[in-house]
């Protein structure tokens, strides 16, 4: 029996952003970089993703998302459940990082013991930020407290507060700082979801994000991590997202091009 074709889904949402608006336009900027003609459709693992080859499909963007965070999270979850009901692996492009919570919530209906591999400058484990439990600084607290994932591995972290260190201990998070990570992904198994916040990269590689945090990862480190996970024998990649592209702060589409590169490599792996 053939597996469902992986699908690209845009989630133009940034009402949970805590500092700057603009991530709502991330999906459009990522698609523009993906299809601008500056590069080709070949991945580093030799997949040819030309749309006419049918290895993936584009579902477009979720439309008319509410600006109210609670309502938006519920709608994203509903849509993800519906679009993935037949087992279609979704590669989602955001949008701020709050979208990962409902995407994982939808997947947890079909998969047990999900492992999340999380690239970010921030742990995003606040119980609440500025009075909101729906902030893009909180999605992994919501995921872990609800038992939606059994394992959370974070790399690139360089802004963990005392409260977030408490949350890391509370939820048993495996956290690797940008300074301390050797580039090797711990051995993973079972259903794995990859979530990439573009501010996990150093601003030199990804200036188009709302939260510049110097001292981050390189594009190569993240690509190598994606490929390491793809080569693990006991891993099934069940979905992924690339979030927090803010075109308002980008320069010459540098960050959009990085986002498109990650999307292309992830699509290729999902299609293998």
């Amino acid at each position: 029996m053939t597996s469902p074709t992986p699908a690209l889904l845009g989630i133009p949402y940034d009402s949970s952003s805590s500092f700057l608006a603009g991530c709502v336009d991330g999906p459009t900027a990522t698609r523009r970089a993906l299809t601008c003609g500056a590069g080709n459709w070949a991945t580093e693992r030799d997949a040819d993703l030309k749309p006419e080859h049918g290895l993936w499909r584009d579902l477009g963007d979720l439309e008319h998302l509410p600006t109210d965070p609670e309502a938006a999270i519920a709608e994203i979850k509903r849509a993800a459940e519906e679009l993935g009901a037949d087992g279609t692996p979704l590669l989602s492009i955001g949008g701020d990082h709050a979208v990962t919570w409902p995407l994982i919530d939808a997947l947890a209906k079909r998969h047990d013991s999900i492992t999340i591999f999380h690239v970010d400058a921030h742990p995003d484990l606040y119980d609440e930020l500025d009075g909101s439990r729906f902030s893009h600084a909180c999605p992994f607290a919501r995921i872990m407290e609800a038992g939606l994932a059994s394992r959370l591995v974070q790399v690139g972290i360089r802004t963990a507060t005392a409260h977030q260190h408490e949350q890391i201990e509370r939820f048993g998070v495996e956290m690797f700082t940008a300074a301390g990570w050797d580039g090797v992904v711990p051995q993973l198994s079972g259903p794995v979801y990859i979530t990439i916040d573009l501010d996990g990269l150093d601003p030199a590689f990804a200036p188009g994000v709302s939260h510049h945090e110097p001292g981050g990862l390189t594009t190569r480190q993240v690509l190598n991590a994606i490929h390491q996970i793809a080569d693990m024998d006991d891993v099934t990649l069940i979905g992924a997202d690339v979030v927090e592209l803010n075109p308002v702060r980008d320069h010459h589409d540098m960050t959009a091009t990085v986002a498109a590169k990650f999307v292309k490599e992830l699509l290729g792996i999902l299609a293998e």
Side-chain angles (χ1 to χ4, degrees):
M1 185 171 65
T2 59
S3 300
T5 304
L8 186 66
L9 176 66
I11 307 180
Y13 172 78
D14 66 2
S15 294
S16 291
S17 296
S18 61
F19 178 53
L20 294 175
C23 291
V24 67
D25 295 319
T28 297
T30 302
R31 278 200 184 83
R32 187 168 58 239
L34 191 63
T35 60
C36 71
N40 60 41
W41 287 99
T43 74
E44 295 190 5
R45 294 167 67 87
D46 297 325
D48 188 342
L49 296 179
K50 287 176 185 167
E52 59 265 31
H53 290 173
L55 294 180
W56 62 284
R57 56 198 173 103
D58 193 342
L59 300 177
D61 291 349
L62 296 183
E63 297 182 349
H64 311 300
L65 284 173
T67 56
D68 174 72
E70 185 170 4
I73 295 300
E75 175 58 21
I76 294 166
K77 177 187 174 185
R78 184 205 64 76
E81 287 179 345
E82 179 180 313
L83 294 169
D86 63 351
T88 294
L90 296 178
L91 172 51
S92 303
I93 45 178
D96 68 37
H97 218 157
V99 306
T100 301
W101 171 24
L103 293 171
I104 293 290
D105 201 351
L107 282 170
K109 302 293 187 293
R110 304 195 310 274
H111 298 280
D112 295 325
S113 301
I114 295 172
T115 292
I116 300 173
F117 182 78
H118 171 200
V119 176
D120 208 324
H122 318 93
D124 289 352
L125 282 164
Y126 282 106
D127 186 60
E128 64 174 40
L129 186 70
D130 299 329
S132 174
R133 290 170 58 82
F134 296 91
S135 169
H136 68 159
C138 303
F140 296 99
R142 303 289 81 80
I143 288 167
M144 299 307 286
E145 71 189 7
L148 302 176
S150 61
R151 188 178 179 192
L152 175 58
V153 179
Q154 301 181 325
V155 300
I157 307 300
R158 49 198 187 275
T159 63
T161 65
H163 167 65
Q164 295 204 86
H165 276 292
E166 292 173 358
Q167 295 281 76
I168 287 164
E169 184 174 353
R170 173 189 175 191
F171 296 123
V173 177
E174 297 163 63
M175 193 261 297
F176 297 86
T177 65
W181 187 45
D182 60 5
V184 176
V185 178
Q187 187 63 43
L188 310 179
S189 62
V192 171
Y193 185 93
I194 297 175
T195 176
I196 300 174
D197 184 327
L198 291 162
D199 69 28
L201 280 70
D202 191 89
F205 300 92
V209 296
S210 298
H211 299 264
H212 291 161
E213 190 62 45
L217 306 178
T218 69
T219 307
R220 186 74 262 158
Q221 282 180 295
V222 177
L223 289 168
N224 286 349
I226 293 170
H227 296 152
Q228 286 177 58
I229 293 169
D231 286 333
M232 292 181 182
D233 291 337
D234 296 329
V235 162
T236 301
L237 186 61
I238 59 172
D241 63 59
V242 180
V243 299
E244 294 285 350
L245 171 61
N246 189 339
V248 174
R249 305 196 87 185
D250 210 359
H251 297 283
H252 305 295
D253 296 325
M254 286 173 57
T255 315
T257 302
V258 171
K261 175 72 170 181
F262 292 154
V263 164
K264 194 165 68 170
E265 293 301 310
L266 288 164
L267 278 176
I269 291 164
L270 287 167
E272 285 180 3

